[in-house]
């Protein structure tokens, strides 16, 4: 790449002074500004594509804000346009490696992939509940945690010449975005699994207008499992005719339990949990193991989808919890395929 005066002036900068003794260019600006300029020039030199190398620091910062099981995040990356298949790596390194791979693939629009991955996090803030205290332990406001993570991601991106704009757009720091234009509506899901994924992942978005209502209206709160179940039920009803809430399961270890939602046409059960506090977070895996044993014995349950709402992010290892529970559970009494979805107030 050749840097010349015209390129610099096109970017509205005068960054050099000619050294008469060595006939070399001396850059007077700071390191971060030079990085962002090089990023802009790289895109201008390749006008047919916005594939640029995504710095590893940006990849790592993005990985820090992602929550979910391997299966959930695999689908997120593929939907965002990341090249498959997923890397066979541990959770702590898999996502930054995959995003970096997208930036190294000339066939991939790496900035679009990056924007798609962080759009929901950047554009949808959590509900502010204020600091809470339980048994003498203080927990910060979810908004405070979210703001710190968001500001860190913005800082790392800008240090490496990238800036986020609302609507999932990532551009070099000195490139202005084009105005947003209306796009076609979402594609109607063709399979019940696709529909459920959209509804489950969209629950935080569905909550937001209800918890931030217009002036003079009472804001709704989602403080119990029943609150979340009612919201999920309302989202399912326009799409699925036969939804059976709270049907009993066969007895296991001398007791039976009630399913949250049975969809008999698809032999699928939805079980929703809300993490109440730190103590409950430590027990929720055991609760689901017992539930799974009940559901295995139900003749209309071949698939169990466990949906865990963790608004305060109290689960210390949600990916490990999902990995331990997901898969086919089979015994002589029956079998059930288990999937786990974990989401918080902002993801």
């Amino acid at each position: 790449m050749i840097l010349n005066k015209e390129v610099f002036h096109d970017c509205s900068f005068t960054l050099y002074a000619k050294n008469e003794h060595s006939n070399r260019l001396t850059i007077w600006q700071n390191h971060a500004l030079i990085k962002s300029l090089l990023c802009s020039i790289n895109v201008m030199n390749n006008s047919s594509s916005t594939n640029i190398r995504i710095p590893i620091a940006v990849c790592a910062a993005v990985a820090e804000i992602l929550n979910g099981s391997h299966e959930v995040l695999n689908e997120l990356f593929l939907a965002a346009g990341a090249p498959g298949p997923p890397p066979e790596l541990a959770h702590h390194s898999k996502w930054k490696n995959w995003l970096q791979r997208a930036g190294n693939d000339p066939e991939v629009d790496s900035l679009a992939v990056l924007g798609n991955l962080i759009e929901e996090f950047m554009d949808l803030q959590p509900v502010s509940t204020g600091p809470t205290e339980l048994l003498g332990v203080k927990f910060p406001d979810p908004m405070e945690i979210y703001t710190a993570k968001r500001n860190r991601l913005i800082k790392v991106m800008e240090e490496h010449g990238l800036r986020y704009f609302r609507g999932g757009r990532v551009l070099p720091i000195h490139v202005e975005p084009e105005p947003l234009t209306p796009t076609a509506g979402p594609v109607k899901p063709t399979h019940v699994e696709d529909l459920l994924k959209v509804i489950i992942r969209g629950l935080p978005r569905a909550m937001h207008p209800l918890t931030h209502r217009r002036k003079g209206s009472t804001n709704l709160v989602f403080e119990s499992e029943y609150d979340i179940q009612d919201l999920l039920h309302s989202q399912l009803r326009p799409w699925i005719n036969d939804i059976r809430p709270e049907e009993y399961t066969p007895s296991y270890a001398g007791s039976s339990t009630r399913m949250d939602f049975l969809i008999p046409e698809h032999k699928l059960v939805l079980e929703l949990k809300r993490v109440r506090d730190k103590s409950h977070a430590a027990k929720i895996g055991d609760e689901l193991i017992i539930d799974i044993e009940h559901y295995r014995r139900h003749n209309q349950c071949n698939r169990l989808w466990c949906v865990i709402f963790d608004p305060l992010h109290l689960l210390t290892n949600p990916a490990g919890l999902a990995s331990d529970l997901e898969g086919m559970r089979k015994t002589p009494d029956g079998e059930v395929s288990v999937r786990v979805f974990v989401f918080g107030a902002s993801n």
Side-chain angles (χ1 to χ4, degrees):
M1 180 187 299
I2 299 174
L3 305 183
N4 53 46
K5 185 175 181 179
E6 287 71 31
V7 170
F8 284 137
H9 279 301
D10 283 347
C11 295
S12 302
F13 291 101
T14 304
L15 296 179
Y16 68 90
K18 188 171 182 180
N19 187 316
E20 294 181 357
H21 298 288
S22 61
N23 198 33
R24 292 178 300 178
L25 297 180
T26 303
I27 305 297
W28 294 103
Q29 300 298 323
N30 61 51
H31 184 61
L33 190 56
I34 296 170
K35 278 187 175 181
S36 62
L37 174 62
L38 293 176
C39 183
S40 300
I41 294 171
N42 188 44
V43 174
M44 287 188 288
N45 287 346
N46 187 8
S47 59
S48 63
S49 171
T50 52
N51 175 274
I52 65 169
R53 176 185 175 275
I54 302 176
I56 189 62
V58 175
C59 298
V62 171
E64 290 176 0
I65 59 100
L66 297 175
N67 292 306
S69 66
H70 278 269
E71 190 169 24
V72 169
L73 292 181
N74 284 347
E75 291 168 357
L76 173 63
F77 269 72
L78 293 172
E88 295 293 334
L89 297 171
H91 204 281
H92 68 276
S93 58
K94 177 177 182 176
W95 316 114
K96 68 178 181 181
N97 179 278
W98 200 353
L99 182 54
Q100 188 180 35
R101 192 172 77 186
N104 294 332
D105 189 332
E107 302 299 320
V108 174
D109 187 341
S110 56
L111 295 185
V113 172
L114 176 57
N116 290 337
L117 287 174
I118 65 176
E119 178 181 3
E120 188 167 4
F121 173 81
M122 297 295 286
D123 292 354
L124 181 63
Q125 66 184 24
V127 177
S128 178
T129 59
T132 58
E133 184 172 342
L134 177 67
L135 300 176
V137 179
K138 295 183 179 180
F139 298 96
D141 186 347
M143 178 65 76
E144 181 181 335
I145 298 173
Y146 167 80
T147 301
K149 288 183 176 181
R150 191 178 191 276
N151 289 342
R152 170 173 163 75
L153 179 57
I154 291 172
K155 181 175 183 292
V156 172
M157 290 178 62
E158 292 189 349
E159 285 176 347
H160 291 82
L162 299 173
R163 180 172 292 166
Y164 178 83
F165 296 90
R166 190 170 185 85
R169 296 170 296 167
V170 176
L171 297 171
I173 202 166
H174 302 303
V175 176
E176 291 298 319
E178 296 180 1
L180 287 173
T181 56
T183 58
V187 178
K188 181 179 178 180
T190 56
H191 299 91
V192 68
E193 294 85 357
D194 296 332
L195 169 67
L196 293 176
K197 289 175 192 174
V198 171
I199 291 177
I200 290 169
R201 291 173 181 163
L203 285 175
R205 287 182 180 270
M207 292 177 190
H208 193 267
L210 301 176
T211 56
H212 297 76
R213 300 183 68 197
R214 301 175 195 178
K215 186 176 180 180
S217 301
T218 302
N219 290 335
L220 303 186
V221 294
F222 296 90
E223 295 181 344
S224 71
E225 287 182 3
Y226 290 127
D227 296 332
I228 315 298
Q229 288 169 11
D230 290 343
L231 176 64
L232 178 58
H233 196 184
S234 70
Q235 299 288 301
L236 292 171
R237 282 177 64 87
W239 298 91
I240 301 173
N241 291 327
D242 189 1
I243 307 170
R244 302 181 188 179
E246 300 196 331
E247 177 161 318
Y248 278 95
T249 65
S251 176
Y252 168 71
S255 66
S256 62
T257 187
R258 287 188 297 183
M259 305 177 181
D260 288 343
F261 300 103
L262 168 65
I263 307 176
E265 180 182 355
H266 302 282
K267 293 192 173 183
L268 189 149
V269 168
L270 292 172
E271 176 70 16
L272 193 143
K273 300 283 187 183
R274 183 189 188 278
V275 181
R276 299 187 296 272
D277 50 46
K278 199 167 185 179
S279 175
H280 185 226
K283 300 174 182 176
I284 201 162
D286 293 334
E287 289 182 6
L288 288 171
I289 288 172
I290 294 173
D291 290 339
I292 290 168
E293 292 303 314
H294 284 289
Y295 298 136
R296 262 196 316 103
R297 291 164 168 77
H298 197 288
N299 60 9
Q300 287 189 296
C301 177
N302 290 344
R303 291 177 288 174
L304 170 63
W305 285 24
C306 304
V307 182
I308 304 172
F309 179 46
D310 183 18
L312 299 179
H313 303 282
L314 298 176
L315 293 174
T316 56
N317 186 11
L321 174 66
S323 178
D324 290 343
L325 295 176
E326 287 187 331
M328 181 64 71
R329 298 300 188 93
K330 185 183 300 185
T331 70
D333 296 331
E335 63 182 44
V336 63
S337 175
V338 180
R339 294 192 62 181
V340 178
F341 299 83
V342 181
F343 68 98
S346 64
N347 54 318

